[in-house]
Amino acid sequence: MRFLHTADWHIGKKLHEFDLVDEQQDAYQQIAEIAKEEKVDAIVIAGDLYDRKVPSEESINQLDAMILDLNLTRKFPILAVSGNHDSAPRLGSGSHWYEATHFYLHTTIAQALTPIEMADTQFFLLPYFEPFQVRHFFEDDSIQNVQQAMNRLVAEMQKNFDATKQHVLVAHFFAAGSQHVDSETTVEVGGLDAIAVDSMATFDYVALGHLHGKDALHAETVKYSGSPVKFSLSEAKQQKGVWIVDTAPYNAKFVPIKPKKDIEILTESFATLINPAYYEKVNRSNFIAISLTDVDVITDVMARLRKIYPYIINLDRKYGIQDVESQKRIDPNLDPMTLLTDFYNQATDSQMSKDQQKWAAQALTVAKEDDE
Amino acid sequence: MRFLHTADWHIGKKLHEFDLVDEQQDAYQQIAEIAKEEKVDAIVIAGDLYDRKVPSEESINQLDAMILDLNLTRKFPILAVSGNHDSAPRLGSGSHWYEATHFYLHTTIAQALTPIEMADTQFFLLPYFEPFQVRHFFEDDSIQNVQQAMNRLVAEMQKNFDATKQHVLVAHFFAAGSQHVDSETTVEVGGLDAIAVDSMATFDYVALGHLHGKDALHAETVKYSGSPVKFSLSEAKQQKGVWIVDTAPYNAKFVPIKPKKDIEILTESFATLINPAYYEKVNRSNFIAISLTDVDVITDVMARLRKIYPYIINLDRKYGIQDVESQKRIDPNLDPMTLLTDFYNQATDSQMSKDQQKWAAQALTVAKEDDE
């Protein structure tokens, strides 16, 4: 069979103060069109459908309309799990009714162990979990970390494997590359919270959510789809999209999603940025992150740039700011009294009185004694 | 056909600091059993399923399990609307999938106008609404109050009446008795927010939610079911239950729900209340409201009563408290200086000094001048 793998929709997310409703709606439309063009048999959504555990009413309406369109109008089966940003009970409310139209949304550990069978494949839908939930579920106090929890879950899922079928895991967690693992109880790949790719080797494909870039992991059959929309400056250079996966013979191809509003980073001087000859060539309807190459103070810099670039999401200084009022930079190696005197001079534009100097010296002595 | 009419479940509600989870679960079980014994064809829930617009995860799980049991396990069709305590988008999320198993949950005005047809009856499911929503929906600025909104809604519903069917309205609002209404634009029954029973005369039955007592309205075919559980001291004497309604020939009978923990009001002296001969005859697992007949101060009264009555929901004094330290009650007709002196004496157990008397007199003079 052939399915589309997406994740991390984060409906309700904002990029700095900007709403992403239109970007998310546009990306959704592209996903629906890709599903149609690629003639997929099902759509996998690997968690973090919402950005918040208590989404706004507007976010609820938006996601509801998307899923309704995919499942009830376009008739795609859906296989989905809750992520760490979702509230499992809130998202899962009503999900028992969804299965009649092949919309499978699993939000509990119990649900994860029983596969959903579709065509040649068994899908195990594992929601985001904390180790204590797995410990309680199996009443097994030896489960103390996420890798131990995962090992137990995989062992239980395997009991329900039909050997004549393909096996796909849909999950939402931090997976890390297949480095050597010292012992069964120690995970040494990317920190304590990571699950080793090796421990999922029994599955023909693992459709992951959690990390927002498809290149977060390089494994043949364990993949992040990444988010469909760029959600932060750190995602500016990522290619967003979805995986189209064929189960037998196995094949996975990445189909890109074109951003409606891209994130662009401009590293320029203020003079250049406000020069029409420059900015008229910039797509100023994009989200813009500016890294100013100037080092001097510029009055009202953000307001002046906003008039030209309405969607500024970040403003920083590539080389820091030089205080032009005092050409002398403060040297942290100076003695405390000199530092204090300099600071007073700069801050008040006047000299300390004799009394003030005496009080300052006393205070510094006391502070030094306290320190020792 | 025959249906059960209930409303105002308020899942998540607390009675003072006490959880009502068990009471609500017990009442739900009785409702399900009544539905079975009375062989009803459907269950009507007229709004306020939750107590809060953002219910807790526990409340979501509780209501979800109840509806799942009624609709998916026991196979009862359900006809429901959102109330003023519900968030329409939150409650309505996923409701498009519910209809496949005859669970109709309407949370928008648009949905209210198209009837759900079941056996011999057309059900119009009208969620709680504000006049402005109806004004916007019909783009009709003449709709300024709830009665005008209702008149328009009823007129629109009537356009979809099938004359060969019975017509039932399910709604959630404050309805008031059929007194004379002066003009179409003025409602003079129970204040501006009330809808006149007369304006619903076109329906064969109106299943209402909002008021918690079935006796809030006395009309042959327009009824409140009331809540299944007593939610406040003011509901202590109400008989809770559900209506079993036959459409043709019309009949409505009230079937009581027995409280798991009743609310009991004890009007007694402290000495009586702490006397085993008295309290051993009281069902102390009930919620207890105490009206003390004593007038004197009793040290640590609540803590002492709680040791005997663990579920005290209210404590008041039938005759007020007499301050035994000063037998003289303060007479509000005394002049301000005397009142102030008395108060000082009582509060500090000492006399004002000469200076204090002078300051007080000055302050009172200034206050008097300000007053005039």
Side-chain angles (χ1 to χ4, degrees), chain A residues 50 53-58 60-61 64 67-68 71-72 87-90 92-101 103, chain B residues 50 53-58 60-61 64 67-68 71-72 87-90 92-101 103:
Chain A
Y50 287 120
K53 289 186 195 299
V54 182
S56 71
E57 294 185 343
E58 290 71 24
I60 288 173
N61 283 338
D64 213 43
I67 300 287
L68 194 148
N71 183 243
L72 294 188
S87 153
R90 287 182 203 286
S93 159
S95 60
H96 287 93
W97 282 266
Y98 302 159
E99 306 197 350
T101 54
F103 170 20
Chain B
Y50 287 119
K53 289 188 197 297
V54 183
S56 71
E57 295 186 341
E58 290 72 25
I60 288 172
N61 283 338
D64 212 43
I67 300 289
L68 194 150
N71 182 244
L72 294 188
S87 153
R90 286 181 203 285
S93 160
S95 60
H96 287 93
W97 281 267
Y98 301 159
E99 306 197 349
T101 54
F103 169 21

Side-chain angles (χ1 to χ4, degrees), chain A residues 223-257:
Chain A
K223 293 190 184 297
Y224 284 101
S225 64
S227 57
V229 169
K230 296 179 183 181
F231 288 134
S232 76
L233 185 50
S234 66
E235 299 176 29
K237 306 228 165 113
Q238 292 178 358
Q239 174 62 63
K240 299 301 189 181
V242 299
W243 290 104
I244 300 295
V245 180
D246 289 305
T247 52
Y250 172 71
N251 186 58
K253 81 170 167 187
F254 193 76
V255 179
I257 292 173

Side-chain angles (χ1 to χ4, degrees), chain A residues 52-341:
Chain A
R52 300 188 337 197
K53 289 186 195 299
V54 182
S56 71
E57 294 185 343
E58 290 71 24
S59 297
I60 288 173
N61 283 338
Q62 188 179 17
L63 181 64
D64 213 43
M66 288 172 177
I67 300 287
L68 194 148
D69 178 53
L70 270 194
N71 183 243
L72 294 188
T73 306
R74 296 173 185 254
K75 310 286 185 196
F76 287 112
I78 300 176
L79 301 136
V81 298
S82 46
N84 57 310
H85 278 249
D86 302 307
S87 153
R90 287 182 203 286
L91 187 66
S93 159
S95 60
H96 287 93
W97 282 266
Y98 302 159
E99 306 197 350
T101 54
H102 305 291
F103 170 20
Y104 302 93
L105 170 59
H106 286 185
T107 57
T108 68
I109 290 164
Q111 290 173 316
L113 305 180
T114 307
I116 303 299
E117 305 209 353
M118 207 175 278
D120 65 358
T121 302
Q122 289 186 309
F123 287 92
F124 290 84
L125 310 182
L126 174 63
Y128 172 81
F129 61 89
E130 299 279 354
F132 81 87
Q133 293 172 300
V134 181
R135 179 163 67 244
H136 291 178
F137 183 79
F138 293 113
E139 296 178 354
D140 178 352
D141 284 344
S142 76
I143 295 170
Q144 291 295 328
N145 65 38
V146 76
Q147 182 66 62
Q148 291 165 338
M150 188 61 191
N151 294 345
R152 178 66 187 264
L153 287 165
V154 172
E156 295 294 327
M157 289 174 186
Q158 281 182 303
K159 293 179 186 169
N160 295 322
F161 271 27
D162 176 344
T164 68
K165 301 266 186 186
Q166 304 294 308
H167 307 106
V168 171
L169 174 66
V170 178
H172 189 97
F173 49 60
F174 178 32
S178 54
Q179 285 89 342
H180 173 70
V181 175
D182 257 337
S183 81
E184 282 191 356
T185 58
T186 314
V187 183
E188 300 197 331
V189 281
L192 270 174
D193 291 317
I195 292 177
V197 161
D198 286 354
S199 64
M200 297 172 258
T202 190
F203 293 98
D204 297 291
Y205 184 74
V206 181
L208 290 176
H210 194 43
L211 302 182
H212 288 188
K214 75 166 166 51
D215 297 316
L217 198 67
H218 291 279
E220 181 62 19
T221 56
V222 182
K223 293 190 184 297
Y224 284 101
S225 64
S227 57
V229 169
K230 296 179 183 181
F231 288 134
S232 76
L233 185 50
S234 66
E235 299 176 29
K237 306 228 165 113
Q238 292 178 358
Q239 174 62 63
K240 299 301 189 181
V242 299
W243 290 104
I244 300 295
V245 180
D246 289 305
T247 52
Y250 172 71
N251 186 58
K253 81 170 167 187
F254 193 76
V255 179
I257 292 173
K258 199 180 164 303
K260 183 176 159 80
K261 260 175 139 73
D262 209 341
I263 296 180
E264 205 163 333
I265 302 169
L266 307 180
T267 305
E268 296 293 349
S269 69
F270 185 72
T272 303
L273 288 164
I274 63 171
N275 183 346
Y278 173 82
Y279 70 66
E280 278 167 6
K281 285 184 218 139
V282 174
N283 180 352
R284 289 177 290 143
S285 66
N286 277 343
F287 294 117
I288 304 283
I290 290 174
S291 188
L292 278 179
T293 55
D294 311 72
V295 293
D296 48 333
V297 169
I298 303 167
T299 315
D300 219 10
V301 58
M302 184 55 123
R304 289 162 76 189
L305 287 170
R306 277 259 162 86
K307 282 189 188 144
I308 299 169
Y309 308 92
Y311 305 109
I312 297 177
I313 59 165
N314 200 54
L315 177 64
D316 64 21
R317 297 285 193 143
K318 193 167 172 65
Y319 307 111
I321 297 186
Q322 186 86 23
D323 186 345
V324 291
E325 296 297 315
S326 73
Q327 290 299 328
K328 186 176 73 178
R329 304 301 293 165
I330 287 172
D331 176 355
N333 296 318
L334 292 174
D335 72 285
M337 191 61 198
T338 310
L339 281 170
L340 187 60
T341 310

